[in-house]
Amino acid sequence: MNDNESVSEIKWKLTRDGTVTITGYNGTSSEIEIPDTINGYCVTSIGDDAFYGCSSITSIEIPSSVTSIGEDAFRGCSSLTSVEIPSSVTSIGNYAFYNCSSLTSIEIPSSVTSIGSYAFSYCDSLTSIEIPSGVTSIGNSAFEGCGRLTSIEIPSSVTSIGHWTFDYCGSLTIYCEPESLPSGWKNPTWNSSKRPIVWGYKKG
């Protein structure tokens, strides 16, 4: 999407560094395509609360110019089933996809280094997610309440996992390298590769 297409329904602001942050949406379309430029300025950020509570949105396309997704950016987008995070994004903010209850899968690109607290909490239709090897930190309760997740592999690049990250994921099996195992995990068992398998993880 470019400057020639309508952006009248998308709210935005020009930042001091001459780039655009998306700040809100006042349209009615269920399928959103965020432009990569607005008025000739590059869109680099989905700002805090930008699409908060837009419950009619079913899909959204984020351009490859975006490097960050802010706090609460898509929180409460309860009809959102599809989202593709481009490889330009390095951080996913706190509560970014909180309670996106129709989201079934999401691919996190290898460019992402941090997943914020509550980023995917209560995405209770989420059945699969892959954490790339570039991620170093996963925030508190990042996947809390994702009750349909059955397995997740944590790469050895992860050095920080917050409290209650996988609370209320009762059928979840977690695989990770020993050095990634945080203190407080309850009774991990080990497979032949010396990788802990944690059933129904809950922080003690």
Side-chain angles (χ1 to χ4, degrees), residues 34 46 60-64 66 69 74 83-86 89 97:
I34 299 172
I46 309 299
I60 192 156
E61 185 174 334
I62 301 171
S64 59
V66 169
I69 297 175
F74 299 100
V83 63
E84 183 176 343
I85 300 175
V89 172
F97 293 93

Side-chain angles (χ1 to χ4, degrees), residues 26-44:
N26 58 7
T28 58
S29 176
S30 61
E31 298 180 353
I32 308 299
E33 185 180 353
I34 299 172
D36 52 14
T37 60
I38 295 179
N39 291 354
Y41 298 102
C42 186
V43 176
T44 61

Side-chain angles (χ1 to χ4, degrees), residues 106-201:
I106 191 164
E107 184 174 341
I108 300 174
S110 59
S111 55
V112 171
T113 59
S114 64
I115 299 173
S117 296
Y118 296 90
F120 297 97
S121 287
Y122 296 97
C123 292
D124 51 16
S125 294
L126 194 64
T127 58
S128 66
I129 194 162
E130 182 176 341
I131 299 175
S133 59
V135 171
T136 60
S137 66
I138 303 173
N140 295 338
S141 299
F143 298 97
E144 179 180 333
C146 293
R148 296 190 183 183
L149 279 179
T150 57
S151 68
I152 193 165
E153 182 163 345
I154 299 172
S156 59
S157 59
V158 173
T159 58
S160 174
I161 300 176
H163 296 281
W164 313 292
T165 307
F166 301 102
D167 265 11
Y168 305 109
C169 296
S171 60
L172 179 63
T173 304
I174 302 168
Y175 301 89
C176 71
E177 298 294 341
E179 57 267 31
S180 296
L181 188 66
S183 61
W185 287 44
K186 287 188 174 180
N187 303 318
T189 57
W190 300 80
N191 65 13
S192 59
S193 299
K194 299 300 183 183
R195 293 158 65 85
I197 304 174
V198 184
W199 298 91
Y201 164 76

Side-chain angles (χ1 to χ4, degrees), residues 1 9-10 25 27-35 51 54-63 73-74 77-85 97 100 102-106:
M1 189 171 183
E9 296 179 334
I10 296 177
Y25 179 70
T28 58
S29 176
S30 61
E31 298 180 353
I32 308 299
E33 185 180 353
I34 299 172
F51 295 91
C54 292
S55 59
S56 64
I57 295 176
T58 59
S59 67
I60 192 156
E61 185 174 334
I62 301 171
F74 299 100
C77 292
S78 56
S79 298
L80 185 65
T81 59
S82 171
V83 63
E84 183 176 343
I85 300 175
F97 293 93
C100 289
S102 297
L103 193 64
T104 57
S105 66
I106 191 164

